[in-house]
Every structure is written in C-alpha cells, then in structure tokens.
Amino acid sequence: MGRLRTNPEAVNLIKLSSYCLVEPSNKYFNNKNPLYIEIGMGKGLFIINNAIKNPNINYIGIEKYPTVILKAIKKIENYETKFHNLKIICDDANNLKNWFQNNSVDKIFLNFSDPWPKKRHESKRLTSVGFMDIYKQILKPKQLIEFKTDNEGLYQYTIDQWTHSKEFNIEAYTNNLYSDSIFLKDNIPTEYENKFVKQGIKIKKIIVSLNK
C-alpha cells in the first residue's frame, strides 16, 4: 500500500457525511446496543465488515487523518443499505475521554497500530501506560481489548505491558493467528492484514480483559 496523498478538502468533506460525528455526545445511536470502537480504523474494511456481520452492535471508528477517513466514508457509502450501527470520529486517540464517558465502551479494537519503535516515542504506542489509563476509564468492567499486529517488537512490548498490568488480564494470545483455528474462526481482517498475509508475514493477536 503506497502513501496516501493528502486531500486538503478532506476535513470539510467528511463533515458533510452523516457517518461522521462532529461533536461529543452521551448518545451516538438511537438504541442501547453494545458499543465497540476501533482506534486507528484506517480505510475502514474491518469495522465495515463487523457492522455488516453484527447489526445489533454499534461501532465507532476513530482515525486522526481526514484523508483516510474520506476513503472510508466513500467505501461505506458505496453500499446500497444505510448503516445504522456505524459512525466515525476524526480525532487523535489521546482525546478519547472527550468522546466517551466512563464505563461506556463494550470492546476496543487496536489493529495494526504504528509500532513507534524508538524508545523516545514509547508514549505514542497505543498500548503504552498512558493509553491504558484512558482505556480503563472508558471501558466497561470485565470487557475486552483485542489487539492485532504484524510487528514483533510491538507484540512483545504489549505482552510485557499487559503481563505486568494490575488493571488488565491477558485472556489469550498467539504469535501466528493464521495457524490457530480457534483464533481464526471469527477473524475479520483489515486492509493491512490482507496485505501482510499475502506476503507470508505472521499476524499476532492478544486479547485482554479489564480487571475491575
């Protein structure tokens, strides 16, 4: 996948879509269904297919790049049926607490996050202590975070973070998702995942629960 050229009009164009949330609210959907969020949703393949497969679950994708969100919105709008269980937020993950109340989210997906391999960038990793402090506030008690990556360094870092965490318990993990029939059974891939699998790169996955 090549680098996506920035569209200077994307910021304004995404706001015209009914799928894009423009301000925080205590009610994003007209129902009481569970709420799942994907942080770093990219072009949306994963969250769109989840929304199709699970119409009784609400999904919100978070992505900080407007040009990428515009691609996702165009993909969503290509479907003849309107999605009533899917919304998108254009914002940085550091601002999640502005969008979600305490104990309001039923599941968090972290798919192929930037590994930020240099030590000085550790705080930018979406499984660093600072982000885990955010997750434990917005996530409902005993609920799950599902993490996938192709990056061995980020995988080992995340295993270590959650092994030593007092707030999260590791429920399951694998360093080769596509050789594990139990993990693979309900797996929905992302765009990057499909690319990496074709290249023979092993996909790693970790599932943790909030211990409170």
PDB file of all heavy atoms in Angstrom, residues 77-101:
ATOM      1  N   GLU A  77     -20.373   4.468   1.794  1.00  0.00           N
ATOM      2  CA  GLU A  77     -21.485   4.986   1.003  1.00  0.00           C
ATOM      3  C   GLU A  77     -21.686   4.240  -0.311  1.00  0.00           C
ATOM      4  O   GLU A  77     -22.672   4.457  -1.003  1.00  0.00           O
ATOM      5  CB  GLU A  77     -21.283   6.482   0.775  1.00  0.00           C
ATOM      6  CG  GLU A  77     -21.417   7.283   2.080  1.00  0.00           C
ATOM      7  CD  GLU A  77     -21.158   8.769   1.903  1.00  0.00           C
ATOM      8  OE1 GLU A  77     -20.588   9.153   0.859  1.00  0.00           O
ATOM      9  OE2 GLU A  77     -21.509   9.538   2.832  1.00  0.00           O
ATOM     10  N   ASN A  78     -20.757   3.362  -0.658  1.00  0.00           N
ATOM     11  CA  ASN A  78     -20.938   2.513  -1.847  1.00  0.00           C
ATOM     12  C   ASN A  78     -21.952   1.406  -1.609  1.00  0.00           C
ATOM     13  O   ASN A  78     -22.459   0.814  -2.563  1.00  0.00           O
ATOM     14  CB  ASN A  78     -19.597   1.894  -2.269  1.00  0.00           C
ATOM     15  CG  ASN A  78     -18.748   2.863  -3.088  1.00  0.00           C
ATOM     16  OD1 ASN A  78     -19.270   3.784  -3.709  1.00  0.00           O
ATOM     17  ND2 ASN A  78     -17.443   2.658  -3.076  1.00  0.00           N
ATOM     18  N   TYR A  79     -22.245   1.134  -0.341  1.00  0.00           N
ATOM     19  CA  TYR A  79     -23.243   0.101  -0.025  1.00  0.00           C
ATOM     20  C   TYR A  79     -24.643   0.670  -0.229  1.00  0.00           C
ATOM     21  O   TYR A  79     -24.919   1.820   0.122  1.00  0.00           O
ATOM     22  CB  TYR A  79     -23.077  -0.376   1.423  1.00  0.00           C
ATOM     23  CG  TYR A  79     -21.877  -1.257   1.637  1.00  0.00           C
ATOM     24  CD1 TYR A  79     -20.623  -0.701   1.907  1.00  0.00           C
ATOM     25  CD2 TYR A  79     -21.980  -2.644   1.563  1.00  0.00           C
ATOM     26  CE1 TYR A  79     -19.500  -1.505   2.103  1.00  0.00           C
ATOM     27  CE2 TYR A  79     -20.866  -3.449   1.754  1.00  0.00           C
ATOM     28  CZ  TYR A  79     -19.638  -2.876   2.027  1.00  0.00           C
ATOM     29  OH  TYR A  79     -18.545  -3.672   2.211  1.00  0.00           O
ATOM     30  N   GLU A  80     -25.512  -0.134  -0.781  1.00  0.00           N
ATOM     31  CA  GLU A  80     -26.882   0.322  -1.036  1.00  0.00           C
ATOM     32  C   GLU A  80     -27.650   0.541   0.256  1.00  0.00           C
ATOM     33  O   GLU A  80     -28.474   1.454   0.347  1.00  0.00           O
ATOM     34  CB  GLU A  80     -27.621  -0.705  -1.910  1.00  0.00           C
ATOM     35  CG  GLU A  80     -27.071  -0.822  -3.326  1.00  0.00           C
ATOM     36  CD  GLU A  80     -27.847  -1.823  -4.152  1.00  0.00           C
ATOM     37  OE1 GLU A  80     -28.834  -2.383  -3.634  1.00  0.00           O
ATOM     38  OE2 GLU A  80     -27.476  -2.050  -5.329  1.00  0.00           O
ATOM     39  N   THR A  81     -27.387  -0.289   1.255  1.00  0.00           N
ATOM     40  CA  THR A  81     -28.085  -0.183   2.531  1.00  0.00           C
ATOM     41  C   THR A  81     -27.375   0.807   3.438  1.00  0.00           C
ATOM     42  O   THR A  81     -26.154   0.783   3.569  1.00  0.00           O
ATOM     43  CB  THR A  81     -28.159  -1.555   3.227  1.00  0.00           C
ATOM     44  OG1 THR A  81     -28.793  -2.483   2.345  1.00  0.00           O
ATOM     45  CG2 THR A  81     -28.933  -1.463   4.532  1.00  0.00           C
ATOM     46  N   LYS A  82     -28.124   1.657   4.099  1.00  0.00           N
ATOM     47  CA  LYS A  82     -27.542   2.611   5.036  1.00  0.00           C
ATOM     48  C   LYS A  82     -27.205   1.903   6.335  1.00  0.00           C
ATOM     49  O   LYS A  82     -27.991   1.121   6.862  1.00  0.00           O
ATOM     50  CB  LYS A  82     -28.519   3.759   5.298  1.00  0.00           C
ATOM     51  CG  LYS A  82     -27.977   4.830   6.245  1.00  0.00           C
ATOM     52  CD  LYS A  82     -28.958   5.977   6.381  1.00  0.00           C
ATOM     53  CE  LYS A  82     -28.490   6.985   7.428  1.00  0.00           C
ATOM     54  NZ  LYS A  82     -27.210   7.610   7.049  1.00  0.00           N
ATOM     55  N   PHE A  83     -26.037   2.199   6.883  1.00  0.00           N
ATOM     56  CA  PHE A  83     -25.621   1.619   8.152  1.00  0.00           C
ATOM     57  C   PHE A  83     -26.208   2.432   9.310  1.00  0.00           C
ATOM     58  O   PHE A  83     -25.953   3.637   9.412  1.00  0.00           O
ATOM     59  CB  PHE A  83     -24.097   1.612   8.265  1.00  0.00           C
ATOM     60  CG  PHE A  83     -23.411   0.627   7.369  1.00  0.00           C
ATOM     61  CD1 PHE A  83     -23.089   0.971   6.060  1.00  0.00           C
ATOM     62  CD2 PHE A  83     -23.093  -0.636   7.817  1.00  0.00           C
ATOM     63  CE1 PHE A  83     -22.451   0.074   5.223  1.00  0.00           C
ATOM     64  CE2 PHE A  83     -22.447  -1.553   6.986  1.00  0.00           C
ATOM     65  CZ  PHE A  83     -22.130  -1.195   5.688  1.00  0.00           C
ATOM     66  N   HIS A  84     -26.941   1.760  10.173  1.00  0.00           N
ATOM     67  CA  HIS A  84     -27.481   2.433  11.363  1.00  0.00           C
ATOM     68  C   HIS A  84     -26.656   2.144  12.603  1.00  0.00           C
ATOM     69  O   HIS A  84     -26.962   2.668  13.676  1.00  0.00           O
ATOM     70  CB  HIS A  84     -28.929   1.979  11.586  1.00  0.00           C
ATOM     71  CG  HIS A  84     -29.859   2.365  10.474  1.00  0.00           C
ATOM     72  ND1 HIS A  84     -30.309   3.660  10.302  1.00  0.00           N
ATOM     73  CD2 HIS A  84     -30.396   1.641   9.455  1.00  0.00           C
ATOM     74  CE1 HIS A  84     -31.097   3.718   9.230  1.00  0.00           C
ATOM     75  NE2 HIS A  84     -31.158   2.507   8.701  1.00  0.00           N
ATOM     76  N   ASN A  85     -25.617   1.325  12.453  1.00  0.00           N
ATOM     77  CA  ASN A  85     -24.801   0.939  13.605  1.00  0.00           C
ATOM     78  C   ASN A  85     -23.328   1.294  13.413  1.00  0.00           C
ATOM     79  O   ASN A  85     -22.444   0.661  13.991  1.00  0.00           O
ATOM     80  CB  ASN A  85     -24.934  -0.573  13.865  1.00  0.00           C
ATOM     81  CG  ASN A  85     -24.421  -1.425  12.707  1.00  0.00           C
ATOM     82  OD1 ASN A  85     -24.466  -1.004  11.562  1.00  0.00           O
ATOM     83  ND2 ASN A  85     -23.960  -2.628  13.022  1.00  0.00           N
ATOM     84  N   LEU A  86     -23.058   2.319  12.608  1.00  0.00           N
ATOM     85  CA  LEU A  86     -21.674   2.678  12.300  1.00  0.00           C
ATOM     86  C   LEU A  86     -21.482   4.193  12.239  1.00  0.00           C
ATOM     87  O   LEU A  86     -22.221   4.894  11.554  1.00  0.00           O
ATOM     88  CB  LEU A  86     -21.269   2.055  10.958  1.00  0.00           C
ATOM     89  CG  LEU A  86     -19.864   2.341  10.427  1.00  0.00           C
ATOM     90  CD1 LEU A  86     -18.796   1.890  11.404  1.00  0.00           C
ATOM     91  CD2 LEU A  86     -19.672   1.658   9.071  1.00  0.00           C
ATOM     92  N   LYS A  87     -20.504   4.678  12.988  1.00  0.00           N
ATOM     93  CA  LYS A  87     -20.137   6.095  12.982  1.00  0.00           C
ATOM     94  C   LYS A  87     -18.624   6.216  12.971  1.00  0.00           C
ATOM     95  O   LYS A  87     -17.896   5.276  13.294  1.00  0.00           O
ATOM     96  CB  LYS A  87     -20.703   6.814  14.214  1.00  0.00           C
ATOM     97  CG  LYS A  87     -22.220   6.831  14.304  1.00  0.00           C
ATOM     98  CD  LYS A  87     -22.857   7.698  13.241  1.00  0.00           C
ATOM     99  CE  LYS A  87     -24.378   7.756  13.413  1.00  0.00           C
ATOM    100  NZ  LYS A  87     -25.017   8.595  12.357  1.00  0.00           N
ATOM    101  N   ILE A  88     -18.133   7.407  12.634  1.00  0.00           N
ATOM    102  CA  ILE A  88     -16.698   7.663  12.541  1.00  0.00           C
ATOM    103  C   ILE A  88     -16.354   8.956  13.266  1.00  0.00           C
ATOM    104  O   ILE A  88     -17.091   9.945  13.182  1.00  0.00           O
ATOM    105  CB  ILE A  88     -16.252   7.747  11.071  1.00  0.00           C
ATOM    106  CG1 ILE A  88     -16.452   6.395  10.375  1.00  0.00           C
ATOM    107  CG2 ILE A  88     -14.791   8.169  10.961  1.00  0.00           C
ATOM    108  CD1 ILE A  88     -16.229   6.446   8.878  1.00  0.00           C
ATOM    109  N   ILE A  89     -15.219   8.938  13.960  1.00  0.00           N
ATOM    110  CA  ILE A  89     -14.708  10.126  14.642  1.00  0.00           C
ATOM    111  C   ILE A  89     -13.341  10.468  14.064  1.00  0.00           C
ATOM    112  O   ILE A  89     -12.468   9.607  13.955  1.00  0.00           O
ATOM    113  CB  ILE A  89     -14.571   9.895  16.162  1.00  0.00           C
ATOM    114  CG1 ILE A  89     -15.957   9.770  16.811  1.00  0.00           C
ATOM    115  CG2 ILE A  89     -13.770  11.016  16.819  1.00  0.00           C
ATOM    116  CD1 ILE A  89     -15.915   9.324  18.258  1.00  0.00           C
ATOM    117  N   CYS A  90     -13.151  11.732  13.706  1.00  0.00           N
ATOM    118  CA  CYS A  90     -11.851  12.207  13.239  1.00  0.00           C
ATOM    119  C   CYS A  90     -11.158  12.917  14.404  1.00  0.00           C
ATOM    120  O   CYS A  90     -11.468  14.077  14.711  1.00  0.00           O
ATOM    121  CB  CYS A  90     -12.013  13.167  12.061  1.00  0.00           C
ATOM    122  SG  CYS A  90     -10.438  13.762  11.392  1.00  0.00           S
ATOM    123  N   ASP A  91     -10.260  12.214  15.050  1.00  0.00           N
ATOM    124  CA  ASP A  91      -9.571  12.793  16.208  1.00  0.00           C
ATOM    125  C   ASP A  91      -8.405  11.895  16.597  1.00  0.00           C
ATOM    126  O   ASP A  91      -8.306  10.746  16.156  1.00  0.00           O
ATOM    127  CB  ASP A  91     -10.526  12.963  17.392  1.00  0.00           C
ATOM    128  CG  ASP A  91     -10.081  14.062  18.357  1.00  0.00           C
ATOM    129  OD1 ASP A  91      -8.936  14.555  18.219  1.00  0.00           O
ATOM    130  OD2 ASP A  91     -10.865  14.426  19.245  1.00  0.00           O
ATOM    131  N   ASP A  92      -7.557  12.420  17.440  1.00  0.00           N
ATOM    132  CA  ASP A  92      -6.425  11.673  17.972  1.00  0.00           C
ATOM    133  C   ASP A  92      -6.883  10.807  19.138  1.00  0.00           C
ATOM    134  O   ASP A  92      -7.769  11.194  19.903  1.00  0.00           O
ATOM    135  CB  ASP A  92      -5.347  12.655  18.443  1.00  0.00           C
ATOM    136  CG  ASP A  92      -4.049  11.971  18.776  1.00  0.00           C
ATOM    137  OD1 ASP A  92      -3.936  11.428  19.892  1.00  0.00           O
ATOM    138  OD2 ASP A  92      -3.139  11.967  17.929  1.00  0.00           O
ATOM    139  N   ALA A  93      -6.266   9.639  19.303  1.00  0.00           N
ATOM    140  CA  ALA A  93      -6.647   8.724  20.382  1.00  0.00           C
ATOM    141  C   ALA A  93      -6.424   9.324  21.764  1.00  0.00           C
ATOM    142  O   ALA A  93      -7.055   8.889  22.738  1.00  0.00           O
ATOM    143  CB  ALA A  93      -5.870   7.413  20.252  1.00  0.00           C
ATOM    144  N   ASN A  94      -5.551  10.311  21.873  1.00  0.00           N
ATOM    145  CA  ASN A  94      -5.338  10.967  23.166  1.00  0.00           C
ATOM    146  C   ASN A  94      -6.605  11.656  23.674  1.00  0.00           C
ATOM    147  O   ASN A  94      -6.721  11.936  24.862  1.00  0.00           O
ATOM    148  CB  ASN A  94      -4.213  12.000  23.052  1.00  0.00           C
ATOM    149  CG  ASN A  94      -2.851  11.368  22.993  1.00  0.00           C
ATOM    150  OD1 ASN A  94      -2.371  10.823  23.973  1.00  0.00           O
ATOM    151  ND2 ASN A  94      -2.218  11.427  21.825  1.00  0.00           N
ATOM    152  N   ASN A  95      -7.547  11.920  22.779  1.00  0.00           N
ATOM    153  CA  ASN A  95      -8.751  12.666  23.143  1.00  0.00           C
ATOM    154  C   ASN A  95      -9.977  11.772  23.337  1.00  0.00           C
ATOM    155  O   ASN A  95     -11.110  12.262  23.357  1.00  0.00           O
ATOM    156  CB  ASN A  95      -9.049  13.702  22.062  1.00  0.00           C
ATOM    157  CG  ASN A  95      -7.920  14.700  21.890  1.00  0.00           C
ATOM    158  OD1 ASN A  95      -7.305  15.128  22.867  1.00  0.00           O
ATOM    159  ND2 ASN A  95      -7.626  15.071  20.660  1.00  0.00           N
ATOM    160  N   LEU A  96      -9.767  10.469  23.498  1.00  0.00           N
ATOM    161  CA  LEU A  96     -10.893   9.545  23.623  1.00  0.00           C
ATOM    162  C   LEU A  96     -11.832   9.905  24.766  1.00  0.00           C
ATOM    163  O   LEU A  96     -13.052   9.729  24.663  1.00  0.00           O
ATOM    164  CB  LEU A  96     -10.374   8.117  23.823  1.00  0.00           C
ATOM    165  CG  LEU A  96      -9.792   7.426  22.585  1.00  0.00           C
ATOM    166  CD1 LEU A  96      -9.098   6.132  22.980  1.00  0.00           C
ATOM    167  CD2 LEU A  96     -10.889   7.152  21.567  1.00  0.00           C
ATOM    168  N   LYS A  97     -11.290  10.407  25.864  1.00  0.00           N
ATOM    169  CA  LYS A  97     -12.135  10.721  27.022  1.00  0.00           C
ATOM    170  C   LYS A  97     -13.075  11.888  26.737  1.00  0.00           C
ATOM    171  O   LYS A  97     -14.066  12.072  27.456  1.00  0.00           O
ATOM    172  CB  LYS A  97     -11.269  11.007  28.248  1.00  0.00           C
ATOM    173  CG  LYS A  97     -10.599   9.767  28.820  1.00  0.00           C
ATOM    174  CD  LYS A  97      -9.965  10.036  30.176  1.00  0.00           C
ATOM    175  CE  LYS A  97      -8.767  10.949  30.050  1.00  0.00           C
ATOM    176  NZ  LYS A  97      -8.077  11.141  31.364  1.00  0.00           N
ATOM    177  N   ASN A  98     -12.767  12.679  25.703  1.00  0.00           N
ATOM    178  CA  ASN A  98     -13.687  13.750  25.311  1.00  0.00           C
ATOM    179  C   ASN A  98     -14.930  13.186  24.626  1.00  0.00           C
ATOM    180  O   ASN A  98     -15.997  13.813  24.647  1.00  0.00           O
ATOM    181  CB  ASN A  98     -12.998  14.724  24.357  1.00  0.00           C
ATOM    182  CG  ASN A  98     -11.865  15.483  25.009  1.00  0.00           C
ATOM    183  OD1 ASN A  98     -11.793  15.584  26.228  1.00  0.00           O
ATOM    184  ND2 ASN A  98     -10.958  16.009  24.204  1.00  0.00           N
ATOM    185  N   TRP A  99     -14.772  12.012  24.010  1.00  0.00           N
ATOM    186  CA  TRP A  99     -15.850  11.430  23.205  1.00  0.00           C
ATOM    187  C   TRP A  99     -16.647  10.347  23.928  1.00  0.00           C
ATOM    188  O   TRP A  99     -17.810  10.106  23.592  1.00  0.00           O
ATOM    189  CB  TRP A  99     -15.258  10.834  21.927  1.00  0.00           C
ATOM    190  CG  TRP A  99     -14.710  11.853  20.985  1.00  0.00           C
ATOM    191  CD1 TRP A  99     -13.417  12.307  20.910  1.00  0.00           C
ATOM    192  CD2 TRP A  99     -15.427  12.588  19.986  1.00  0.00           C
ATOM    193  NE1 TRP A  99     -13.285  13.251  19.927  1.00  0.00           N
ATOM    194  CE2 TRP A  99     -14.513  13.442  19.333  1.00  0.00           C
ATOM    195  CE3 TRP A  99     -16.758  12.584  19.564  1.00  0.00           C
ATOM    196  CZ2 TRP A  99     -14.881  14.291  18.291  1.00  0.00           C
ATOM    197  CZ3 TRP A  99     -17.126  13.430  18.527  1.00  0.00           C
ATOM    198  CH2 TRP A  99     -16.198  14.264  17.911  1.00  0.00           C
ATOM    199  N   PHE A 100     -16.014   9.690  24.897  1.00  0.00           N
ATOM    200  CA  PHE A 100     -16.661   8.552  25.548  1.00  0.00           C
ATOM    201  C   PHE A 100     -16.668   8.724  27.060  1.00  0.00           C
ATOM    202  O   PHE A 100     -15.640   9.020  27.668  1.00  0.00           O
ATOM    203  CB  PHE A 100     -15.953   7.242  25.176  1.00  0.00           C
ATOM    204  CG  PHE A 100     -15.913   6.987  23.699  1.00  0.00           C
ATOM    205  CD1 PHE A 100     -14.752   7.196  22.968  1.00  0.00           C
ATOM    206  CD2 PHE A 100     -17.056   6.556  23.032  1.00  0.00           C
ATOM    207  CE1 PHE A 100     -14.717   6.972  21.608  1.00  0.00           C
ATOM    208  CE2 PHE A 100     -17.031   6.339  21.660  1.00  0.00           C
ATOM    209  CZ  PHE A 100     -15.865   6.552  20.947  1.00  0.00           C
ATOM    210  N   GLN A 101     -17.837   8.519  27.642  1.00  0.00           N
ATOM    211  CA  GLN A 101     -17.974   8.624  29.084  1.00  0.00           C
ATOM    212  C   GLN A 101     -17.325   7.428  29.773  1.00  0.00           C
ATOM    213  O   GLN A 101     -17.050   6.400  29.148  1.00  0.00           O
ATOM    214  CB  GLN A 101     -19.454   8.712  29.459  1.00  0.00           C
ATOM    215  CG  GLN A 101     -20.155   9.940  28.902  1.00  0.00           C
ATOM    216  CD  GLN A 101     -21.627   9.985  29.271  1.00  0.00           C
ATOM    217  OE1 GLN A 101     -22.251   8.955  29.466  1.00  0.00           O
ATOM    218  NE2 GLN A 101     -22.174  11.188  29.371  1.00  0.00           N
TER     219      GLN A 101
END
